[in-house]
Amino acid sequence: MLRSSTITKKSNNHQKTNPSINLVTKAILASLLVSPLSFSAFAENKDSEIEIITVTAQKRSQSILDVPVTVSAVNNDLIEESKSIGLSGIDKFIPGFKFNDKNATQPSVAIRGVSSPNISAGGDPSSATFYDDVYMPRAAQNVIFSDLSRVEVLKGPQGTLFGRNAAMGVVNIVPNAPSAEFESFLQGTWGTDNLQRYEGMVNFPINDTFFVRANWITNKQDGFIENVADTVWDGDYKKWDLGAKDHNAARIAFLWDISEHTNLQFSYDWDDLDQAPPMAVGVSPFAYNMGKTPFASKAENDVFKGGESRDMYGITAKLNHEFNDEWSLKYIVSYRDWDTNNREDEDGTGDITRYFDTNNQEDSDIFYTELQVNYSTDKVSLVTGFSYSKESVNQTTDLNLTADTAERLTTGALNQRIQGIMAQQLAAQLGGNSDAHAAAAFGEGATFDGVVQQLYSSSGFPLDHIWNPQEWAGALTALGFAEDIMAAIGMPGQPLTAEIVQFSGDITYDAVAQALGIAEVFGPSHSGQFWTETVNNKGSFTNWGVFADVDFSITENWNVIAGLRYSRDKKSFSWNIPETTFTAARPGVNNLIFQQVDLKTEDEWGKVTGRLVTSYNFADNHMVFASYSTGYKSGGFDSLTPSLTSFKPEDTTNYEIGYKGLINDVFVANVSAYYLELDNFQRTVDSKAPGFTQAIPTVINDDREIKGLEFEFKWMASEDLSFGLVSEYRETQISSPEFYNGEGTLVAASTRDVDPATNYTVSMDWMPDFGAGHTRLHLDYVFVENTNADEPGLEDYKKAIPSFFEDTKDLNARLSWAIEDESLEVGIWGKNILDNRQMLNVGGLTADILGTPFGRINRGVEFGFDVKFTF
């Protein structure tokens, strides 16, 4: 018999049409909804029983098969067998769920294709994450797994019971609580790239009423791409190889049974992350090996003092009290504080004239409290209460360039200025700037713009970089500065050459800067100095809500749930953008990226959300349900774009039907179909608005209609063999407003359809009885169809990378053996055994302005072993 199992699996966030597969999928799902007992033929062994997980998805302890909403759960058994260390390791087991942790301190949760990856401290995710009943803000979501009971994912709006920012769903992470029994374990895991993971836990009673549970984990792994950047400014500071990890955490919890009806739990969580910055594998001609080998074992990331870190702690107290058999309460109060730093390479090269990095630092905290009152009888289950949170945010975002890069940007602006000057001079000579004036002077067919371009090119423009002596000498001659410069240095009548430019140092640059009134033109003596522009944000966010949710049994088999919540959010936010630090070296220069500003504003929003659910149990362990629910996420502010106007709040409306069933105690089916409307989705795009030299992550609002099917099956084929299947089908229509893209082009408002993509996870667990100890083999295979080719306006540099269009094909396995009393267990494991290599994403802030796109690749095949002692 299985020791434990989960009834969930898989995730996907990509979409593409495959008609034959989609028709088959729809047929299977239709047959399930009409006649779920059709799967009873798979129940080959009536003596085996499959274990069902108990969840708290509705603030009540229930079997997952009794919850009339779409909820998936992964228990600790599957977490261990899959060697998962965080949410990104288990998302494959949950349909419609994806967790992206490429930035550990800026992760994103995607539910049914909707995520909110945004470094803005003024915004919030569209899906809420809770840990031990407490809301976790953006930078705190990425929790390392240690001594967990389970992870629950609720899909669709969950505003009634969970409130804040649960517009698309909720991730509920449940750690183990202290208990009266003594238990403990020590575990070590070793693997590819010097992986070293050590974990321990001890649970013991102090006396009959007071219990303690403590656990710790450390997870380290070397990078898998050697960073060969040759930098002069790092000194003794550590230069990380790409992909290196170093994450440590610990927790201690105390449970006091004050009386038979009252208990108090107090816990302290500590988290320390200090690892390599998010990788930037250059794919431009200026990157390592000209960007032609993204899967090479070497790359160049020359970021100064690069790294990603988070220091975080949390304190939580939970009081539970039963007044009688019907009434009870739970009161939660928590405080969490975190400091993060994320300085990462934004160009993927070692080219000092294209150096660009960003540094995002946050020093924030949140106070959270919730009172929950429960009333339960045979006919009614009521949950009501209130919640309140106050978050203080302090974020500093630095954009760091070298003076060499700043002058490359200045060169671009100067090229445009020079072309404009030439156009003015030509117009003065011709007596006008029309095509007719050009044709009269240069012959039939000549155009004014064409003549300007010809003159511009023949004079040696555009310049690549003004610090190139040859180019700069030619430009000064073409602009008529050469004679004055040569006279000023005592060489009248002589031509200005590259050698003279180089010998004279900054003199020629200072002369042009003074003549044109452009302080941003300066000489190469500043090479290697840093130009930093900073955005300082401060925010104060308060949220409170009152809610009531009642589950009423109309008959023994028919239940109706109705719930309402009123939520209120208030946010005050400020921007302070000082002048660039480079003014100390070059007085008078202006910011190249951010305009100086000192601005403060505030806004508030309120919303009533609710749900109406009905469920019917037409046979033992067989339930169908239908629901209508609404969700809400407050508006906010874009931390990099100062504005007195906030962006709009998100609203979701969801209609859903589903079936859950346990067939002959060996086959579990969980199927749902939904239609969701999402208004004012807060999407982040790289945008270069008029007057800006650099694309900046900017929030825009679009609307979405999403239709989908999700299903997960678990079949215990025999006493020692079980199979799982998870998949989904999703269609999305996106209506976007007009906006400026990263190239500065105005993209018109549009409506487009995103086709569904084939994706599934198949798993197997086999526990044969060899007569000596306990043996177990776990396998899972993940397939996700790649839909990157369907991106509108796909850039040419992306089209040139074949690995950017590879499907995901991951095979993972673990084989373990434990002695009879399970006090010793050893295992060997492999991840991505097929060595499926992919370029996971391509782009970057500098892709357009500096021609330096970069991407992130997966680690490839991994192998290792583990040993666990249980006491």
Side-chain angles (χ1 to χ4, degrees):
M1 181 180 294
L2 287 174
R3 286 174 290 176
S4 60
S5 62
T6 178
I7 67 169
T8 64
K9 305 236 183 275
K10 182 57 213 114
S11 163
N12 160 281
N13 200 27
H14 304 289
Q15 305 156 331
K16 190 174 182 180
T17 301
N18 188 322
S20 61
I21 293 177
N22 291 339
L23 289 174
V24 172
T25 300
K26 290 179 179 179
I28 292 173
L29 293 172
S31 67
L32 278 172
L33 292 172
V34 173
S35 181
L37 291 178
S38 63
F39 279 89
S40 62
F42 293 122
E44 298 176 358
N45 191 327
K46 303 280 194 296
D47 296 328
S48 303
E49 291 186 0
I50 195 166
E51 185 175 340
I52 304 303
I53 296 177
T54 298
V55 297
T56 53
Q58 297 193 109
K59 304 284 188 177
R60 311 161 172 96
S61 182
Q62 298 170 287
S63 162
I64 196 168
L65 293 182
D66 294 333
V67 181
V69 298
T70 302
V71 56
S72 300
V74 173
N75 65 7
N76 186 62
D77 183 61
L78 185 56
I79 290 172
E80 287 200 7
E81 290 302 320
S82 61
K83 302 306 294 181
S84 297
I85 196 69
L87 289 170
S88 61
I90 64 166
D91 57 4
K92 60 187 175 183
F93 299 117
I94 301 172
F97 173 61
K98 188 69 177 176
F99 187 80
N100 188 329
D101 61 352
K102 68 173 184 177
N103 287 34
T105 58
Q106 299 164 7
S108 66
V109 171
I111 293 182
R112 291 175 172 171
V114 176
S115 64
S116 302
N118 185 8
I119 65 171
S120 174
D124 295 289
S126 298
S127 300
T129 300
F130 284 78
Y131 176 80
D132 199 20
D133 292 324
V134 175
Y135 176 77
M136 304 286 277
R138 301 162 314 282
Q141 288 179 329
N142 196 12
V143 178
I144 191 170
F145 286 177
S146 178
D147 194 33
L148 292 186
S149 171
R150 63 189 179 277
V151 177
E152 306 168 1
V153 177
L154 296 81
K155 286 157 282 187
Q158 304 295 330
T160 303
L161 290 173
F162 289 90
R164 185 179 184 188
N165 306 324
M168 285 301 301
V170 166
V171 180
N172 188 31
I173 304 171
V174 184
N176 285 312
S179 63
E181 301 295 325
F182 175 84
E183 57 179 319
S184 64
F185 72 81
L186 288 174
Q187 180 170 327
T189 302
W190 300 267
T192 304
D193 299 322
N194 196 30
L195 170 66
Q196 298 183 58
R197 181 183 306 157
Y198 305 103
E199 183 178 4
M201 184 277 297
V202 60
N203 182 97
F204 59 93
I206 298 294
N207 53 41
D208 291 341
T209 62
F210 197 82
F211 321 114
V212 181
R213 192 179 191 96
N215 64 275
W216 60 271
I217 186 171
T218 178
N219 184 70
K220 297 182 180 181
Q221 190 171 23
D222 293 343
F224 59 100
I225 304 173
E226 182 185 357
N227 187 0
V228 297
D230 184 14
T231 56
V232 297
W233 46 62
D234 267 1
D236 295 331
Y237 194 85
K238 182 174 182 177
K239 181 170 65 178
W240 292 94
D241 288 336
L242 281 62
K245 300 179 180 180
D246 189 347
H247 198 170
N248 307 281
R251 171 182 170 88
I252 185 167
F254 307 92
L255 180 63
W256 178 25
D257 283 341
I258 300 174
S259 70
E260 182 180 355
H261 302 290
T262 307
N263 66 56
L264 174 67
Q265 178 178 303
F266 177 85
S267 60
Y268 175 82
D269 293 279
W270 170 83
D271 184 284
D272 178 71
L273 175 80
D274 187 7
Q275 62 186 32
M279 70 171 62
V281 178
V283 293
S284 73
F286 316 103
Y288 177 78
N289 200 22
M290 301 182 68
K292 296 178 180 178
T293 53
F295 295 103
S297 59
K298 297 179 180 180
E300 290 181 311
N301 279 189
D302 58 357
V303 56
F304 175 57
K305 294 186 177 180
E308 184 172 24
S309 64
R310 180 181 66 188
D311 293 322
M312 181 170 67
Y313 72 89
I315 302 170
T316 303
K318 297 195 293 185
L319 176 68
N320 293 278
H321 177 69
E322 295 177 352
F323 296 99
N324 51 46
D325 291 341
E326 296 177 346
W327 288 95
S328 64
L329 70 76
K330 174 191 285 188
Y331 179 66
I332 304 165
V333 60
S334 175
Y335 176 81
R336 184 169 291 266
D337 180 276
W338 61 93
D339 297 305
T340 70
N341 183 81
N342 183 13
R343 186 161 186 171
E344 58 183 298
D345 195 299
E346 295 286 359
D347 60 273
T349 78
D351 185 344
I352 194 173
T353 72
R354 287 178 167 82
Y355 180 96
F356 199 110
D357 82 60
T358 57
N359 187 18
N360 185 62
Q361 303 169 75
E362 188 172 345
D363 181 3
S364 302
D365 59 74
I366 185 171
F367 170 79
Y368 180 86
T369 187
E370 179 177 340
L371 174 64
Q372 175 187 323
V373 178
N374 293 65
Y375 172 75
S376 180
T377 66
D378 291 340
K379 298 282 288 183
V380 177
S381 176
L382 169 69
V383 180
T384 186
F386 77 87
S387 64
Y388 172 84
S389 67
K390 183 176 180 62
E391 184 179 354
S392 297
V393 174
N394 294 275
Q395 178 177 267
T396 298
T397 304
D398 294 329
L399 273 68
N400 304 294
L401 333 174
T402 56
D404 314 64
T405 302
E407 283 310 88
R408 179 170 292 282
L409 297 178
T410 299
T411 301
L414 191 60
N415 282 330
Q416 296 177 6
R417 177 84 172 263
I418 291 170
Q419 191 169 16
I421 291 173
M422 288 185 172
Q424 292 174 1
Q425 292 173 346
L426 180 63
Q429 293 174 7
L430 300 181
N433 61 358
S434 68
D435 289 344
H437 288 92
F442 296 97
E444 185 177 353
T447 64
F448 182 82
D449 288 343
V451 173
V452 170
Q453 186 60 47
Q454 185 177 1
L455 291 172
Y456 184 67
S457 300
S458 63
S459 299
F461 297 103
L463 306 176
D464 176 61
H465 198 291
I466 62 174
W467 286 356
N468 182 311
Q470 190 70 45
E471 288 187 341
W472 187 234
L476 294 178
T477 301
L479 292 173
F481 287 108
E483 290 185 9
D484 292 340
I485 290 175
M486 296 304 292
I489 63 175
M491 300 176 64
Q494 297 296 314
L496 178 61
T497 65
E499 290 76 16
I500 293 175
V501 168
Q502 192 162 5
F503 177 78
S504 61
D506 291 355
I507 292 176
T508 59
Y509 299 95
D510 292 338
V512 172
Q514 185 175 1
L516 297 180
I518 306 177
E520 291 75 38
V521 174
F522 48 82
S525 68
H526 296 285
S527 178
Q529 298 179 16
F530 278 95
W531 175 302
T532 299
E533 296 185 22
T534 300
V535 181
N536 299 300
N537 300 118
K538 289 188 177 182
S540 178
F541 311 150
T542 58
N543 166 272
W544 61 268
V546 292
F547 63 92
D549 190 79
V550 59
D551 185 342
F552 181 71
S553 298
I554 297 177
T555 68
E556 184 178 350
N557 298 323
W558 181 21
N559 280 51
V560 173
I561 300 175
L564 286 175
R565 172 186 285 261
Y566 176 74
S567 297
R568 191 74 181 175
D569 286 272
K570 182 177 181 179
K571 293 184 176 182
S572 62
F573 202 70
S574 67
W575 299 261
N576 174 257
I577 305 177
E579 63 184 10
T580 171
T581 57
F582 202 71
T583 56
R586 184 75 171 179
V589 296
N590 295 304
N591 288 9
L592 293 174
I593 301 167
F594 295 119
Q595 297 178 354
Q596 291 181 238
V597 72
D598 195 353
L599 183 67
K600 184 176 182 179
T601 187
E602 65 178 36
D603 206 344
E604 55 185 309
W605 307 266
K607 186 73 175 181
V608 174
T609 56
R611 66 172 183 159
L612 183 62
V613 184
T614 183
S615 62
Y616 185 74
N617 293 278
F618 57 87
D620 288 344
N621 295 321
H622 294 285
M623 178 182 70
V624 291
F625 66 89
S627 68
Y628 164 81
S629 57
T630 60
Y632 152 82
K633 185 180 93 171
S634 74
F637 302 96
D638 196 329
S639 61
L640 299 183
T641 307
S643 174
L644 291 172
T645 304
S646 61
F647 47 77
K648 298 177 182 178
E650 292 180 5
D651 292 304
T652 52
T653 302
N654 189 67
Y655 304 88
E656 195 147 353
I657 58 173
Y659 160 76
K660 298 183 179 186
L662 173 61
I663 302 162
N664 287 11
D665 294 329
V666 296
F667 191 91
V668 175
N670 187 2
V671 184
S672 62
Y674 62 90
Y675 170 76
L676 185 142
E677 295 178 349
L678 170 57
D679 296 330
N680 300 319
F681 173 56
Q682 299 159 7
R683 179 162 68 100
T684 301
V685 298
D686 287 339
S687 178
K688 189 173 79 170
F692 285 78
T693 60
Q694 171 64 41
I696 297 172
T698 304
V699 176
I700 64 173
N701 290 103
D702 63 29
D703 298 328
R704 303 191 174 196
E705 293 184 12
I706 308 173
K707 294 177 286 186
L709 301 168
E710 296 171 348
F711 58 89
E712 42 191 317
F713 304 131
K714 186 76 175 184
W715 173 37
M716 194 164 183
S718 67
E719 189 175 86
D720 54 17
L721 182 63
S722 65
F723 297 94
L725 172 65
V726 169
S727 188
E728 67 164 333
Y729 174 94
R730 182 174 66 242
E731 298 176 354
T732 304
Q733 184 181 84
I734 303 175
S735 298
S736 301
E738 65 176 23
F739 65 94
Y740 288 95
N741 65 12
E743 298 174 336
T745 302
L746 183 63
V747 179
S750 64
T751 298
R752 63 185 178 94
D753 293 322
V754 179
D755 294 330
T758 302
N759 77 92
Y760 56 85
T761 296
V762 180
S763 62
M764 182 197 80
D765 286 274
W766 181 43
M767 291 186 293
D769 185 1
F770 293 125
H774 305 279
T775 304
R776 178 169 183 171
L777 173 65
H778 169 84
L779 295 171
D780 62 70
Y781 176 76
V782 183
F783 176 85
V784 180
E785 185 180 8
N786 190 299
T787 60
N788 289 333
D790 296 335
E791 286 185 16
L794 194 67
E795 297 89 343
D796 288 337
Y797 67 81
K798 293 181 180 178
K799 295 177 182 178
I801 306 173
S803 57
F804 186 54
F805 304 96
E806 291 287 334
D807 295 332
T808 298
K809 299 174 182 178
D810 283 351
L811 175 64
N812 310 285
R814 181 174 184 262
L815 176 64
S816 62
W817 179 82
I819 63 177
E820 199 63 38
D821 64 0
E822 298 187 341
S823 60
L824 170 64
E825 179 180 273
V826 294
I828 57 173
W829 53 267
K831 293 186 177 183
N832 192 12
I833 296 171
L834 301 178
D835 199 23
N836 180 212
R837 303 308 303 272
Q838 292 176 284
M839 179 67 69
L840 302 177
N841 50 50
V842 184
L845 296 177
T846 63
D848 298 306
I849 194 67
L850 294 176
T852 51
F854 62 88
R856 181 172 65 100
I857 64 175
N858 63 336
R859 188 177 287 266
V861 63
E862 294 182 75
F863 291 103
F865 68 97
D866 56 79
V867 179
K868 184 176 183 179
F869 298 93
T870 303
F871 306 98

